[in-house]
Amino acid sequence: MNRDIAVIGAGYVGLPLAQTFAEAGQKVVLVDVVPSLVEALNRGDSHIDDVPSEKLRPLVESGAITATTDYSVVRDSDAVLIAVPTPLSRQREPDLSYIERAATDAAPHLRAGHVVVLESTTYPGTTREILQPLLEKGSGLKAGADFHLAFSPERVDPGNRDFTTKTTPKIVGGVDGGSAEAAAALYRKAVDDVHVVSTPEAAELTKLLENIFRSVNIALVNELAQLCDRMGIDVWEVVDAAATKPFGFMSFKPGPGLGGHCIPIDPFYLTWKAREYDFSTRFVELAGEVNNNMPYFCRSVVSQALNHGAQKSVSGSRILVLGVAYKADINDVRESPAEKLIELLRTAGAEIAYHDPHVPEFDGLHSVALEPEAYDCVAIVTAHSTIDYEDVVRRGKVIVDFRNATKGIDADGKVWKL
């Protein structure tokens, strides 16, 4: 069966991408290595909140979206979009194994005229230095001459209803002018705005800059939060006050650490690549150190709150972690700071439970009923909007609020803030 587009990787990027193209009238096949996931998708059952099953199912039933584990469908598709994970190794170095496997498996099925685009976040040079040689070796074709090759970074923001794959501008950089034009024309079929840059390297670095910008600014307010703790100043009040300035200031909020696939990981891709050029990205690395330290600082805040609010130590205390998703109102737990904080509290001897209406299982635990009164301390790690925080404060004994979720609530001395 001929398809317009094959999307390799049916995760947080690939599935919304498939939906966006399918809703624009394109026939899409998703290629994934997990058979159970493929079977679920072919039933119209989604595992991604941003693509609910009630929206996916009609697209599957109409034949606009299908899924398979068979890479041979690439040959019968006009375009190939690669949207696979790019994690870090245990040594905190780029792990491109998913890209390499996707390229190796897809290459034998490439044909002349194909448009191939990498969407996975990565360091500058990956498309040209890693992906291109693998595709050329496996296909016998040449990028630019026989098939088009480009990089277009995903900009998925899970849970964001205002800016979706369709409405968020798309950056495109090709290995040559023809590749850039072909990739841009492809995305214009489904995306509102396409911005073409001169090279894939420029597009790759664009994505890293976007996320490093957030990492650095979050590190700034996280460091400020630690200073404010010593000075006895409410960091939330300071940030809110600064945000009243209508120019020259962008508000970022402190928290228990970074989460999601992008911001905790992407900076390390750039710092690793920079070493190749005898360059140390000290500013970026310092931000990473500050952000990575936040769960440790938050553990100390919990300890202080228990000592002063309940005359108890962390050891032997029952602590309820409220929210484990990496941000509010989603079920995504990738790189969630809750994981590290729970580990640290357990190591200190605490008995841990968690409640999250979006995450039924996490870190070997199951979400429990929200009964604040049953615990020595409630630590608000993720501020889901469906939680009644006034009720949590009323019923709880000691509340540690890392997200300012209790702002404006009469705490009666129960609440300790970041």
Side-chain angles (χ1 to χ4, degrees):
M1 180 186 295
N2 290 333
R3 291 279 166 176
D4 297 304
I5 300 166
V7 178
I8 300 176
Y12 285 91
V13 176
L15 187 54
L17 195 61
Q19 177 198 17
T20 301
F21 274 104
E23 290 178 342
Q26 302 293 295
K27 298 289 186 181
V28 184
V29 57
L30 285 157
V31 183
D32 203 279
V33 297
V34 182
S36 59
L37 174 58
V38 167
E39 292 171 5
L41 291 172
N42 283 327
R43 294 193 304 267
D45 295 334
S46 175
H47 59 296
I48 305 294
D49 278 357
D50 287 345
V51 186
S53 296
E54 54 266 28
K55 288 190 176 181
L56 175 63
R57 197 163 292 122
L59 296 173
V60 171
E61 292 172 351
S62 70
I65 291 179
T66 57
T68 182
T69 58
D70 184 2
Y71 271 82
S72 68
V73 297
V74 165
R75 180 168 293 277
D76 296 323
S77 304
D78 295 328
V80 184
L81 308 182
I82 301 174
V84 294
T86 44
L88 294 171
S89 69
R90 293 179 64 88
Q91 293 74 34
R92 309 299 284 177
E93 294 181 347
D95 177 2
L96 300 184
S97 60
Y98 292 91
I99 292 177
E100 292 167 345
R101 176 176 176 180
T104 301
D105 290 346
H109 308 290
L110 288 187
R111 54 175 171 78
H114 258 144
V115 179
V116 181
V117 185
L118 177 62
E119 290 228 353
S120 307
T121 303
T122 185
Y123 58 77
T126 301
T127 303
R128 205 185 299 270
E129 298 167 8
I130 304 296
L131 181 60
Q132 182 174 338
L134 288 172
L135 293 177
E136 291 180 341
K137 179 181 179 181
S139 67
L141 304 174
K142 293 297 181 182
D146 301 314
F147 67 92
H148 300 297
L149 179 61
F151 180 80
S152 180
E154 59 87 3
R155 284 171 152 178
V156 173
D157 183 17
N160 193 326
R161 301 291 183 260
D162 296 323
F163 295 103
T164 63
T165 300
K166 174 178 171 55
T167 60
T168 302
K170 207 82 177 76
I171 305 297
V172 173
V175 296
D176 64 351
S179 292
E181 291 175 8
L186 171 66
Y187 284 112
R188 287 190 180 109
K189 294 178 181 179
V191 179
D192 292 346
D193 184 21
V194 177
H195 181 86
V196 179
V197 295
S198 59
T199 63
E201 289 81 7
E204 289 159 341
L205 186 54
T206 296
K207 175 59 188 293
L208 295 184
L209 173 60
E210 294 168 3
N211 289 329
I212 290 170
F213 172 80
R214 287 186 54 76
S215 173
V216 167
N217 282 280
I218 291 170
L220 173 62
V221 291
N222 277 339
E223 189 168 67
L224 186 65
Q226 296 178 62
L227 175 60
C228 284
D229 178 69
R230 297 192 183 191
M231 298 178 72
I233 299 173
D234 186 340
V235 67
W236 301 98
E237 181 183 15
V238 172
V239 171
D240 286 347
T244 63
K245 185 180 181 182
F247 57 88
F249 181 82
M250 182 176 291
S251 181
F252 288 84
K253 302 295 192 293
L258 298 180
H261 173 265
C262 292
I263 301 176
I265 293 175
D266 293 357
F268 292 98
Y269 269 68
L270 185 61
T271 58
W272 180 86
K273 185 65 174 179
R275 296 187 202 117
E276 182 180 321
Y277 297 87
D278 296 322
F279 191 88
S280 176
T281 52
R282 290 176 292 174
F283 200 61
V284 177
E285 293 177 47
L286 178 59
E289 291 177 17
V290 173
N291 290 326
N292 287 341
N293 184 61
M294 287 308 291
Y296 295 88
F297 176 71
C298 290
R299 176 191 58 183
S300 71
V301 175
V302 171
S303 177
Q304 292 176 46
L306 280 166
N307 285 338
H308 294 280
Q311 290 74 53
K312 297 191 69 170
S313 67
V314 172
S315 181
S317 290
R318 301 188 71 225
I319 299 175
L320 178 68
V321 173
L322 188 48
V324 296
Y326 86 81
K327 70 174 186 175
D329 301 331
I330 65 172
N331 66 351
D332 194 342
V333 298
R334 291 175 297 171
E335 304 295 323
S336 172
E339 182 175 7
K340 186 63 177 181
L341 181 58
I342 287 173
E343 175 193 330
L344 294 172
L345 292 172
R346 277 175 167 166
T347 300
E351 180 184 337
I352 301 294
Y354 85 91
H355 173 82
D356 192 311
H358 298 273
V359 184
E361 296 182 22
F362 180 75
D363 199 26
L365 299 172
H366 294 270
S367 181
V368 300
L370 182 53
E371 299 173 340
E373 65 276 10
Y375 299 87
D376 300 303
C377 173
V378 176
I380 302 172
V381 176
T382 309
H384 292 305
S385 62
T386 55
I387 302 295
D388 184 346
Y389 294 101
E390 187 169 5
D391 183 61
V392 170
V393 171
R394 180 179 59 82
R395 294 164 60 190
K397 300 169 185 173
V398 174
I399 314 297
V400 180
D401 183 1
F402 297 126
R403 297 293 188 181
N404 203 29
T406 59
K407 178 182 178 181
I409 296 174
D410 184 6
D412 192 28
K414 290 183 178 181
V415 176
W416 293 69
K417 288 189 178 182
L418 185 63

